[in-house]
Amino acid sequence: MADRRLQVFHTVARLLSFTKAAEALHMTQPAVTFQVRQLEEYFNTRLFDRTHNRITLTEVGEKVYEYAEKIFEQYSQMENAVKEMTGDINGVLMIGASTTIAEYMLPTLLGDFKIKYPDVRIRLKVSNTDEIVSMVENNIIDLGVVEAPVNNKSLAVELCRLDELVAIVAPDHPLASKAEISPQELAKYPYISREEGSGTREVITEYLSNEGLSIYDMNIVMELGSSEAIKGAVTSGMGVAILSRAAIQKELQLNTLKQLQLNPPLKRPFSFVHQKQKFRLRAMEELLSFGRGYCTIHSD
């Protein structure tokens, strides 16, 4: 409902980037520039200073941004109040998730959410944790669900649950009868690793470092780009691996893989990441509430 020119201006002012604003608004950069110029013509003054590929708000721009914040907060309160009265939950939600979460956690969560709120459209971006956090920070997505610690103090981070990583072997592997294993013993066997840059690999590398080992102390025979590829290689007897328990539930039920607890245990947080300010969409609040309930049920 709000003036489109003001919406575009507000996004550019918040991100201080026409390029990032265009991405966040799903517009072309020329279209963003046009909307801002329209608003500047309306006020008959410049709202941004543009120098050396950088932009800053002018004094007038600062004042317009201050009022835009209040206007959009009022719109948000109005929309949420009306939807509270009518029970109408709709809109488009942009969600980002790291690979393991997107493949093994979100299908159930989003499927159940969609059944309850069929008029909410969900768009999912899959990337690594750092990129997901960056997209939340730049308002490209509404909510991130990540599998590594987040140190960004400007964002709200809520722990969903702890995810345990375990060693996996084929049923006929010499280690298959063991209940647990140390990383030092695991290093004696051919090891199948996630590729460099993977969040899972980073967590494992830090874990090994705490145990006095390097990732390169492992007998790496193969580096693969997905959990599915690793499970296939382990099932075929090509080596051992470390994966999230969430990723191997089907294989455990079918007895195509065996899990060994790591000693000491290896756990990492699954967390929700979002902007600290009040959500602009009621649907976003409902999804986060729904997610918290899911995490409580699946906390073990």
Side-chain angles (χ1 to χ4, degrees), residues 81-95:
V82 171
K83 288 175 180 178
E84 187 78 44
M85 296 173 70
T86 63
D88 182 26
I89 307 295
N90 55 30
V92 178
L93 295 179
M94 299 292 296
I95 301 173

Side-chain angles (χ1 to χ4, degrees), residues 258-277:
K258 294 288 185 179
Q259 73 170 7
L260 290 72
Q261 302 295 122
L262 290 170
N263 184 14
L266 170 55
K267 297 184 179 182
R268 62 179 172 183
F270 280 178
S271 302
F272 297 118
V273 185
H274 54 83
Q275 291 282 348
K276 287 184 176 179
Q277 72 262 28

Side-chain angles (χ1 to χ4, degrees), residues 19 25 62 80 97 99 125 140 199 201 206 231 244 278:
T19 302
L25 294 166
E62 291 276 6
N80 284 345
T99 306
K125 293 178 178 287
I140 295 169
R201 176 163 170 150
E206 183 177 353
K231 288 188 291 184
S244 164
K278 185 177 177 64

Side-chain angles (χ1 to χ4, degrees), residues 147-189:
E147 56 192 53
V150 177
N151 300 314
N152 190 318
K153 303 297 184 183
S154 66
L155 300 176
V157 181
E158 297 184 37
L159 175 66
C160 168
R161 64 182 178 89
L162 291 177
D163 173 50
E164 184 173 10
L165 283 78
V166 296
I168 58 170
V169 299
D172 58 354
H173 192 278
L175 293 173
S177 61
K178 294 178 67 68
E180 65 177 34
I181 191 169
S182 69
Q184 289 80 7
E185 186 176 0
L186 199 66
K188 300 174 183 177
Y189 295 86

